[in-house]
Amino acid sequence: MLAKGVKRPRGEMEGGDPEPRDPSAAPASSLFNISMVKLHQSLRHVEPNLRHLVLVANTLRRMQDQMQREAGGPMAPDSPEAPSVGDDLLLSAMDSSISTILEDLGQVEVLSPARPEEEQPLAGASGARQEPARTSAPCLGPLELLSSASYLLEDSLEDIFEDIDTSMYDCDLWSPTSLSGFKAFSGAEDSDSKALAGAEDRLDMSDLDYLMDVLVGGHPPGAHRGRSIS
Amino acid sequence: MAGAGGGGNDIQWCFSQVKGAVDDDVAEADIISTVEFNHSGELLATGDKGGRVVIFQQEQENKIQSLSRGEYNVYSTFQSHEPEFDYLKSLEIEEKINKIRWLPQKNAAQFLLSTNDKTIKLWKISERDKRPEGYNLKEEDGRYRDPSTVTTLRVPVFRPMDLMVEASPRRIFANAHTYHINSISINSDYETYLSADDLRINLWHLEITDRSFNIVDIKPANMEELTEVITAAEFHPNSCNTFVYSSSKGTIRLCDMRASALCDRHSKLFEEPEDPSNRSFFSEIISSISDVKFSHSGRYMMTRDYLSVKIWDLNMENRPVETYQVHEYLRSKLCSLYENDCIFDKFECCWNGSDSVVMTGSYNNFFRMFDRNTKRDITLEASRENNKPRTVLKPRKVCASGKRKKDEISVDSLDFNKKILHTAWHPKENIIAVATTNNLYIFQDKVN
């Protein structure tokens, strides 16, 4: 497929006969295939050997450059004329494979962020780099993330409350301030909840009981019209 | 300390002992993954793929009378790491011991750090050779005596007992590495140590397990841009603020922790320019550094890449001061070695106590020594054949091409499954420990 009429030396693959000093004289296609197989084998592991992966990927890129150079001629390394449709597809497939593979590895840290990220020495704010908690937004800076653990917690909280019927909250009886007090019960560690902790104190026990009754369905929401909720 | 081998004033290496199973069928768990002498050389620790640590102790014989230095016998065996399951990622964390590092001895007990891919543990190994006897309220077997039967009182005394060696985990340093730990190194302040994985290096205090400082982070913001990983790291033996780390691209960075909290900017970058005549697809892979070790003096450091050992002067960054070819005959076989993954083997290297000789392993259970002064080198084999105690090892030779002489081995006959990745040199004497797949060989120089 990539053959340029170069005959593959028999000794090359079997390692028997003494070979030419420059193994790049060997056809790139067989090495290419071997490398792709290695990449895929590497990915069968949940946590691939990163060194192996990176070295194979870099070797593949080298081969890609070589093939592009050979295809495009020495004058046009950056914009090679497509040697053939097959080659082009192969090269772009390889490129995207490598990119996807490495990008997926970025997901590894979303699941279990390493603790040292939370323990940056104070003086190191300039140099300390935090983990992006999502790969879709990799550029969250250190100031935006207090700690990736609490970021995840906040995220999952919204999911928990997703299917709760919030129609009762739309009632006039409930002022926005009391809603924010409810959030304080969640125990989330973000700065918002800390500010609202004071609001929690203002809700006295009778209000809490009423809240519980409404949620459990004991009292219809309108039953205590006129009752003020502070 | 004398030289590497050969005739004249050079030392002659003799077989001393071999530890491990005899049969060829190697149990996966018995594969030795690390070897390390302690600071006095009296203790020799090995770690294996099964997560076990075995410590050997040298017999303290009367050296004037004996024909050889003391033998190493099993002192303690314990399970350091167990296989773990990471439920979040649904994967098993290997219990294989990647590295062992000894702490200098401060009291009667010995301490070492052992690590697998994710967790570092501090172990205390202590001896118990006395036990209290003669309690008033307890029988010897531990049962309590009825106080009313006690008519006299006695003071319990310590009586000698058979030596018991106990290993107990004192600290567990966990949850700080997302990637696989490849190195640990104890600082010369004996209070802190570093641990390095593929992309990060963390600094720990030996007393504190719930946090560590990240001092190197080479993870790109976008993982698609990842092209380089950290392969080894070590603290300088004398300067507690200096450490080095090597990369898969063949570079070594020296960092000074006083410069900034995050040592992403190196103080020095050691890299040898690529030889254009040797360029190939595999140039980067064979330049990947598998081990870096400071000399005892702290003036030099040694790096091991796939085909060579290089000695660097810390004052010169642009090229090594010495280069030794370990198995240059493999250069023409790189394609096959890439195919069977041997090209990714990570060989370690070590210095002798006086920094005059360096040693590293190769294939076919061969290992090589290079004398920096005489510029002579020697190839020896770790094998049970023809190895009686105190028999001098015969130098081996690999025939790269052409007519094979008698006693030479041709490159194609080399067994690439028999690799010596881990070697260690006694800090003071000419005693070396060489690990084949599942056996540990101990060699000594000939004592007259």
Side-chain angles (χ1 to χ4, degrees):
Chain A
M1 99 199 116
L2 287 169
K4 297 279 166 206
V6 174
K7 208 170 170 149
R8 171 163 40 150
R10 184 177 162 279
E12 178 61 41
M13 297 316 299
E14 288 144 27
D17 308 323
E19 289 150 55
R21 206 95 235 276
D22 177 23
S24 63
S29 56
S30 49
L31 281 176
F32 185 90
N33 293 337
I34 294 167
S35 303
M36 286 304 286
V37 167
K38 282 189 193 299
L39 258 188
H40 286 287
Q41 277 173 351
S42 225
L43 290 168
R44 288 216 203 100
H45 305 277
V46 180
E47 272 190 353
N49 180 336
L50 215 56
R51 174 181 167 258
H52 187 270
L53 193 63
V54 160
L55 287 173
V56 170
N58 290 350
T59 308
L60 270 171
R61 286 201 189 100
R62 267 194 161 179
M63 286 184 219
Q64 181 189 21
D65 290 343
Q66 174 91 345
M67 288 194 278
Q68 282 178 344
R69 245 179 280 128
E70 278 170 7
M75 291 310 192
D78 293 335
S79 53
E81 302 168 35
S84 79
V85 176
D87 287 352
D88 218 16
L89 282 173
L90 208 57
L91 292 172
S92 60
M94 180 188 81
D95 222 0
S96 58
S97 291
I98 297 175
S99 300
T100 320
I101 285 160
L102 290 173
E103 195 185 347
D104 283 349
L105 286 177
Q107 304 274 6
V108 164
E109 281 211 277
V110 178
L111 297 175
S112 58
R115 208 177 286 171
E117 310 316 315
E118 305 169 41
E119 304 293 343
Q120 292 296 339
L122 294 170
S126 54
R129 251 185 284 145
Q130 292 287 355
E131 289 315 293
R134 294 181 200 270
T135 49
S136 54
C139 300
L140 290 165
L143 297 174
E144 293 173 82
L145 276 174
L146 290 172
S147 80
S148 37
S150 72
Y151 189 103
L152 286 172
L153 188 62
E154 200 179 312
D155 203 57
S156 58
L157 274 176
E158 290 179 31
D159 291 336
I160 291 170
F161 295 117
E162 226 167 39
D163 51 2
I164 289 181
D165 177 16
T166 56
S167 57
M168 65 184 76
Y169 300 142
D170 299 333
C171 179
D172 291 338
L173 219 49
W174 300 87
S175 63
T177 48
S178 63
L179 274 179
S180 50
F182 188 82
K183 222 181 175 181
F185 295 131
S186 67
E189 290 165 29
D190 53 68
S191 50
D192 285 344
S193 68
K194 285 201 178 91
L196 293 164
E200 184 186 349
D201 296 333
R202 284 183 251 126
L203 281 169
D204 57 22
M205 281 309 295
S206 55
D207 292 333
L208 284 170
D209 287 344
Y210 178 69
L211 244 155
M212 282 310 299
D213 287 343
V214 166
L215 285 169
V216 165
H219 298 272
H224 290 257
R225 188 178 292 276
R227 184 191 172 82
S228 67
I229 312 289
S230 54
Chain B
M1 207 174 278
N9 292 328
D10 293 332
I11 59 175
Q12 291 181 297
W13 289 100
C14 306
F15 173 82
S16 174
Q17 296 170 273
V18 59
K19 310 280 187 192
V22 183
D23 50 277
D24 285 332
D25 206 14
V26 179
E28 186 95 354
D30 293 338
I31 294 173
I32 297 171
S33 48
T34 185
V35 181
E36 187 83 354
F37 279 100
N38 76 336
H39 292 257
S40 66
E42 187 202 346
L43 298 176
L44 174 61
T46 61
D48 65 24
K49 210 165 176 207
R52 287 168 306 204
V53 170
V54 180
I55 302 176
F56 302 92
Q57 183 188 41
Q58 189 181 29
E59 279 173 23
Q60 297 303 310
E61 297 182 337
N62 186 338
K63 290 182 183 173
I64 303 165
Q65 287 181 348
S66 67
L67 291 167
S68 66
R69 295 185 179 78
E71 276 199 349
Y72 282 85
N73 299 315
V74 177
Y75 177 67
S76 172
T77 305
F78 57 93
Q79 188 74 33
S80 171
H81 287 70
E82 300 272 7
E84 282 172 51
F85 197 76
D86 183 335
Y87 292 97
L88 213 47
K89 292 189 221 170
S90 210
L91 74 96
E92 195 170 280
I93 298 170
E94 257 193 72
E95 66 274 30
K96 173 169 72 85
I97 308 295
N98 293 337
K99 283 279 160 25
I100 289 174
R101 290 287 182 263
W102 289 93
L103 264 74
Q105 191 173 12
K106 282 193 283 192
N107 51 38
Q110 300 279 355
F111 288 86
L112 61 80
L113 284 176
S114 69
T115 185
N116 68 350
D117 283 340
K118 300 284 183 176
T119 304
I120 306 127
K121 295 187 184 182
L122 176 69
W123 287 90
K124 176 180 179 182
I125 297 107
S126 47
E127 290 184 3
R128 195 198 292 252
D129 63 353
K130 291 183 267 291
R131 66 155 186 251
E133 278 178 30
Y135 285 102
N136 292 293
L137 291 175
K138 261 199 299 189
E139 302 285 358
E140 294 304 328
D141 59 8
R143 279 182 301 141
Y144 282 99
R145 289 170 72 183
D146 180 359
S148 59
T149 65
V150 178
T151 51
T152 58
L153 288 178
R154 55 187 176 168
V155 177
V157 291
F158 274 100
R159 292 215 190 281
M161 59 178 255
D162 288 339
L163 179 67
M164 214 167 71
V165 181
E166 298 168 327
S168 58
R170 303 307 278 178
R171 305 268 187 279
I172 296 180
F173 305 91
N175 300 322
H177 285 279
T178 306
Y179 304 101
H180 294 172
I181 297 174
N182 53 56
S183 313
I184 47 175
S185 176
I186 298 170
N187 203 348
S188 51
D189 64 9
Y190 302 143
E191 285 186 348
T192 57
Y193 74 94
L194 63 78
S195 58
D197 66 29
D198 294 314
L199 298 178
R200 298 196 181 93
I201 302 179
N202 294 329
L203 179 71
W204 301 84
H205 192 285
L206 284 164
E207 300 291 326
I208 299 168
T209 58
D210 63 353
R211 78 188 81 135
S212 65
F213 288 121
N214 176 244
I215 53 177
V216 173
D217 188 337
I218 65 167
K219 180 172 189 271
N222 201 345
M223 277 295 267
E224 290 176 25
E225 294 159 12
L226 181 67
T227 57
E228 193 174 12
V229 298
I230 296 170
T231 53
E234 198 181 46
F235 263 120
H236 191 275
N238 306 319
S239 301
C240 58
N241 51 281
T242 306
F243 66 94
V244 292
Y245 68 93
S246 59
S247 82
S248 55
K249 282 194 172 169
T251 63
I252 310 104
R253 286 172 174 79
L254 184 140
C255 300
D256 187 333
M257 295 195 293
R258 297 171 299 189
S260 75
L262 188 63
C263 300
D264 272 3
R265 285 226 197 96
H266 51 263
S267 299
K268 294 195 184 190
L269 174 68
F270 298 83
E271 188 174 14
E272 185 172 27
E274 195 182 359
D275 177 5
S277 64
N278 270 336
R279 260 196 122 226
S280 76
F281 285 133
F282 310 112
S283 294
E284 184 181 319
I285 300 179
I286 63 169
S287 76
S288 171
I289 291 170
S290 51
D291 195 15
V292 64
K293 291 262 171 51
F294 278 105
S295 64
H296 293 91
S297 65
R299 170 136 181 237
Y300 299 98
M301 68 177 172
M302 164 168 55
T303 57
R304 175 69 155 98
D305 50 71
Y306 190 61
L307 296 179
S308 67
V309 161
K310 292 178 182 169
I311 313 282
W312 303 77
D313 184 323
L314 293 188
N315 298 314
M316 188 160 76
E317 297 166 63
N318 58 350
R319 60 177 171 81
V321 290
E322 295 155 38
T323 302
Y324 301 103
Q325 300 302 333
V326 181
H327 36 220
E328 181 69 12
Y329 47 78
L330 294 182
R331 192 179 288 274
S332 55
K333 309 287 179 195
L334 291 179
C335 199
S336 323
L337 294 165
Y338 177 70
E339 225 188 323
N340 63 19
D341 269 348
C342 280
I343 206 175
F344 298 102
D345 286 335
K346 291 185 75 170
F347 291 95
E348 291 172 12
C349 53
C350 61
W351 298 83
N352 73 342
S354 61
D355 297 337
S356 60
V357 185
V358 296
M359 170 168 66
T360 189
S362 179
Y363 295 104
N364 211 70
N365 282 348
F366 288 171
F367 57 100
R368 305 260 285 137
M369 287 185 197
F370 302 93
D371 189 321
R372 298 177 63 213
N373 299 325
T374 65
K375 299 301 178 200
R376 283 219 287 264
D377 59 82
I378 190 170
T379 305
L380 299 171
E381 183 179 359
S383 155
R384 284 182 187 264
E385 293 172 11
N386 306 323
N387 272 330
K388 296 192 196 69
R390 294 190 288 281
T391 49
V392 177
L393 296 179
K394 205 173 65 167
R396 314 290 279 153
K397 191 139 172 27
V398 176
C399 164
S401 59
K403 227 164 153 54
R404 188 177 72 88
K405 296 197 192 78
K406 179 176 170 300
D407 287 346
E408 280 186 0
I409 295 189
S410 75
V411 183
D412 304 314
S413 312
L414 294 175
D415 188 342
F416 289 92
N417 291 319
K418 292 189 178 168
K419 44 193 102 176
I420 290 179
L421 303 173
H422 313 287
T423 58
W425 204 309
H426 190 290
K428 299 182 172 71
E429 296 174 23
N430 279 332
I431 302 175
I432 55 176
V434 172
T436 59
T437 307
N438 65 333
N439 285 171
L440 182 73
Y441 287 79
I442 298 171
F443 302 105
Q444 301 178 353
D445 65 343
K446 195 174 173 68
V447 177
N448 295 317

